[in-house]
Amino acid sequence: MRIILDTANLADIRYFNTHFPIEGVTTNPTILSKEGGDVLALLREIRAIIGEEKELHVQVTETEYEKIIEEAKAIVAFLGKNTFVKIPATDVGLRATKTLSDEGYGITVTAVLTATQAMLASNAGAAYVAPYVSRLENICADGVGTVAEIAEIFATSGTDTQILAASFKTAKEVLDVAVVGCHTATVGSEVMHKLLSHPTTDTSIAGFAADWNKAFGDTTLLKLLSK
Ligand code: G3P
């Protein structure tokens, strides 16, 4: 399952883009508002950090059909190729998704809470649908099960629409959606760290270093091979 970073924090984007195999960055109005300041400069800097080949997902803030179309085109003109426009799963959103997808724009239908919303978004031509896993789990609904339903529906229909699962509070949720056939997950910084870190990995590495140093001192294989 592909992984995207769900933040607009520049330090985090620089770190994860350097160290983790991420495919891009997703934002939304809440994520951008956390950083504040000049939002266009922020988006331009995110694009500069990840480069033009990785995905950058930016959500519309307009709510009327004509304005959404105008805003979506302006976002892509500003941020270049591999920019996906996030549009919420509403009636107006579906209409805008159909229009923009027909014109070749990559649309991520977001705030998806049900498999029927995902099905309609796919029928409207969305490149991605973004089901909110943790927001469902938080209200005793089945976030992972909803992703599984969407995966099954998409497999049956043979649609090109991909699942971009979002809203994760635990690493286990990320694992669970991967197991049920999710294509891509967008993960915030805190959970991203939890996908990798493990205390036994740390103690194992410390053990290797201690054993090596005891036997060979402060040399390394590189130093020995470079002689
Ligand atoms: O990008 C949208 C989604 O990830 C929202 O996450 O944590 O606000 O539920 P959250």
Side-chain angles (χ1 to χ4, degrees):
M1 183 176 70
R2 300 160 73 244
I3 299 288
I4 293 182
L5 180 62
D6 199 24
T7 186
N9 181 274
L10 293 177
D12 285 358
I13 293 169
R14 284 193 190 95
Y15 169 77
F16 285 110
N17 191 56
T18 301
H19 296 282
F20 280 50
I22 61 166
E23 309 289 336
V25 167
T26 52
T27 65
N28 63 33
T30 302
I31 285 171
L32 292 173
S33 70
K34 280 180 192 158
E35 306 307 313
D38 182 341
V39 70
L40 293 183
L42 178 62
L43 288 169
R44 198 187 297 114
E45 185 59 21
I46 293 171
R47 173 52 85 201
I49 293 168
I50 65 176
E52 61 179 15
E53 297 306 325
K54 291 192 180 180
E55 296 183 9
L56 178 52
H57 296 243
V58 179
Q59 190 164 327
V60 292
T61 54
E62 295 283 353
T63 54
E64 288 172 17
Y65 170 75
E66 286 80 8
K67 288 290 181 189
I68 290 175
I69 301 296
E70 205 181 326
E71 189 176 39
K73 291 179 179 179
I75 289 169
V76 173
F78 181 66
L79 294 169
K81 67 176 189 174
N82 294 314
T83 299
F84 289 77
V85 179
K86 292 174 74 177
I87 300 179
T90 64
D91 53 355
V92 177
L94 285 180
R95 183 184 174 199
T97 297
K98 174 88 174 81
T99 300
L100 289 163
S101 298
D102 285 349
E103 291 184 30
Y105 289 88
I107 305 301
T108 299
V109 172
T110 192
V112 166
L113 280 306
T114 68
T116 54
Q117 291 174 331
M119 184 173 62
L120 291 170
S122 166
N123 292 350
Y128 287 108
V129 295
Y132 281 8
V133 176
S134 207
R135 292 195 193 197
L136 282 167
E137 300 283 343
N138 284 345
I139 55 169
C140 280
D142 189 357
V144 175
T146 301
V147 172
E149 286 174 344
I150 298 169
E152 201 170 331
I153 291 166
F154 284 7
T156 302
S157 69
T159 180
D160 290 333
T161 306
Q162 301 269 301
I163 304 171
L164 172 56
S167 178
F168 292 102
K169 292 290 169 285
T170 68
K172 180 70 164 55
E173 290 168 347
V174 179
L175 175 65
D176 288 346
V177 298
V179 169
V180 298
C182 183
H183 310 105
T184 307
T186 184
V187 179
S189 305
E190 200 179 326
V191 174
M192 191 78 87
H193 282 297
K194 288 176 181 162
L195 295 181
L196 179 65
S197 65
H198 195 290
T200 304
T201 301
D202 298 340
T203 54
S204 299
I205 294 166
F208 293 141
D211 292 342
W212 174 273
N213 289 341
K214 200 169 159 190
F216 306 114
D218 66 357
T219 192
T220 65
L221 282 175
L222 178 61
K223 286 179 187 168
L224 292 172
L225 290 165
S226 304
K227 278 182 182 167

